[in-house]
């Protein structure tokens, strides 16, 4: 009898990954063998963003997961597996591949897990400063555009801000005519606001004397000030960019892509890629997109002060380094992480108190609802 019971168990285990209806076969999303159900996952992009979390928290458990970055193959978890940290690698391809690998790993049930994307970024001086903390509602992928060299467009279109034009258009002020689906993501504003509320109580690092001196080179009040927490939006591009022209253009593009409501204040290389992976995982119940937060702390300004040109600033700036931004990842991010764990049963487990009141998701409405950005119809590229 024991032999046949084992056979039946094995048959069930092998059968469960497949759901079949007529000639349509689909992988099951059931996780019968899941061992870990973290309450929070902190997502870092590279070691400098990872290390403050490993230093601040006790992560005795190390789990190697196939498909993560070959540079960062290990997930770190606390003693109860309530809080875990993963480093996904820099750039859009690394981010998408790593988040997908994590979400599909059968050891984890992430259906109720909260995710905090916690990275450093360049910052717009109109909204933030060195060491500043930003929490986004929108993430805008700015690299999906036509691109022309300056020499090829400036005589014909002297009014253009840079050589970018949205797909399916012939000018810079028209919403894209065709889309890939990853151009804009909107996350849970209610949860974002809770994270900001808690982060505002933190005693943020103000950085060093060089940071303070460099801030004073800017005319903007936000740039001159000590770091604080801001609600504003992130743009994603694999290209590092700097200078007034590109920042002006991407600021305009952010407003265009979000139908006038988004305000670009921080730069990233990964966020839209990570959010696309979460969108696909959410569609099958593997994660809850409503539980995703995007935090970026500012390591440098995305444009030079009036006394410097973009090239000199980018290669020879003297702003004092990125330590304040690294310190503030944990100082600003840990409050929401601990709040989730400490109030899990009463507040966060069912996801109701801080559920979204705004639309959340991509430009296609993949996971339900109607986007409050975009237009009525697109060509899908």
């Amino acid at each position: 009898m024991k032999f046949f019971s084992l056979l039946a168990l094995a048959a069930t285990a092998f059968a469960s990954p497949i759901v079949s209806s007529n000639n349509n076969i689909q992988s099951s999303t059931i996780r019968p063998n899941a061992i870990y159900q973290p309450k929070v996952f902190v997502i870092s992009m590279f070691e400098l963003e990872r290390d403050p979390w490993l230093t601040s928290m006790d992560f005795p458990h190390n789990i190697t997961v196939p498909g993560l970055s070959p540079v960062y193959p290990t997930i770190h978890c606390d003693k109860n597996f309530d809080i875990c940290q993963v480093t996904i690698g820099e750039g859009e391809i690394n981010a998408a591949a790593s988040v997908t690998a994590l979400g599909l790993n059968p050891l984890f049930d992430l259906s109720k897990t909260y995710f905090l994307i916690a990275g450093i970024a360049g910052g717009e001086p109109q909204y933030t400063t060195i060491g500043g903390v930003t929490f986004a509602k929108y993430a805008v992928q700015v690299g999906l555009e036509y691109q022309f060299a300056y020499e090829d467009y400036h005589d014909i279109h002297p009014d253009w801000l840079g050589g970018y034009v949205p797909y399916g258009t012939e000018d810079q002020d028209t919403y894209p005519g065709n889309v890939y689906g990853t151009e804009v993501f909107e996350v849970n504003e209610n949860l974002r606001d809770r994270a900001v509320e808690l982060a505002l109580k933190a005693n943020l690092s103000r950085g060093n004397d060089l940071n303070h001196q460099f801030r004073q080179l800017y005319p903007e009040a936000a740039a001159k000030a000590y770091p604080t927490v801001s609600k504003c939006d992130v743009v994603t591009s694999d290209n590092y960019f700097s200078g007034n022209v590109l920042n002006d253009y991407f600021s305009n593009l952010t407003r265009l892509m979000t139908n006038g409501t988004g305000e670009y204040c921080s730069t990233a290389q990964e966020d839209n890629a990570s959010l696309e992976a979460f969108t696909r995982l959410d569609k099958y119940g593997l994660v809850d997109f409503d539980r995703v937060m995007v935090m970026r702390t500012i390591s440098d300004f995305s444009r030079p002060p009036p006394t410097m040109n973009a090239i000199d600033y980018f290669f020879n700036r003297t702003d004092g380094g990125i330590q304040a931004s690294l310190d503030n990842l944990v100082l600003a991010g840990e409050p929401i992480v601990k709040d989730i764990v400490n109030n899990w049963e009463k507040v966060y487990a069912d996801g109701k108190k801080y559920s979204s009141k705004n639309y959340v998701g991509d430009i296609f409405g993949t996971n339900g609802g109607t986007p409050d950005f975009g237009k009525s119809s697109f060509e899908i590229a």
Side-chain angles (χ1 to χ4, degrees), residues 242-263:
S242 185
N244 293 317
V245 172
L246 289 178
N247 276 276
D248 286 346
Y249 174 71
F250 291 137
S251 180
N252 290 345
L253 182 68
T254 298
R255 285 189 286 271
L256 175 69
M257 297 301 294
T258 59
N259 290 32
T261 58
E263 292 292 350

Side-chain angles (χ1 to χ4, degrees), residues 111-114 188 190-191 288-291 340 343-357:
S111 58
K112 291 187 176 182
T113 301
Y114 289 82
N188 182 345
N190 197 20
L191 181 62
D288 182 355
F289 195 91
D290 216 38
R291 301 184 184 217
I340 291 169
N343 297 288
W344 180 255
E345 294 299 336
K346 291 182 179 179
V347 178
Y348 289 97
D350 64 11
K352 291 181 180 178
K353 182 171 183 178
Y354 295 110
S355 63
S356 57
K357 304 298 186 289

Side-chain angles (χ1 to χ4, degrees), residues 38-65 68 72-78 81-89 102 108 110 113-119 329-330 337:
K39 295 176 174 65
V40 187
F41 239 110
V42 176
I43 297 179
S44 310
M45 274 50 73
F46 70 122
E47 72 274 9
L48 290 183
E49 297 168 350
R50 172 201 65 192
D51 291 349
W53 294 98
L54 300 188
T55 300
S56 175
M57 295 184 173
D58 182 20
F59 289 120
H61 302 297
N62 301 311
I63 307 166
T64 299
V65 170
L68 292 185
Y72 309 110
T74 304
I75 291 168
H76 308 281
C77 296
D78 69 357
F81 296 94
D82 286 333
I83 305 169
C84 293
Q85 183 278 336
V86 62
T87 308
I88 60 176
L102 171 63
F108 290 91
L110 304 174
T113 301
Y114 289 82
F115 295 91
L116 176 64
I117 297 173
L329 284 172
V330 175
V337 170

Side-chain angles (χ1 to χ4, degrees), residues 22 59-60 70 73 75 98 110-111 126 131 146 154 160-161 168 193 207 238 273 292 335 370:
N22 297 325
F59 289 120
I75 291 168
S98 294
L110 304 174
S111 58
Q126 180 182 352
Y146 304 133
H154 77 281
W160 279 9
L161 285 173
D193 290 349
D238 271 335
V292 178
T370 302

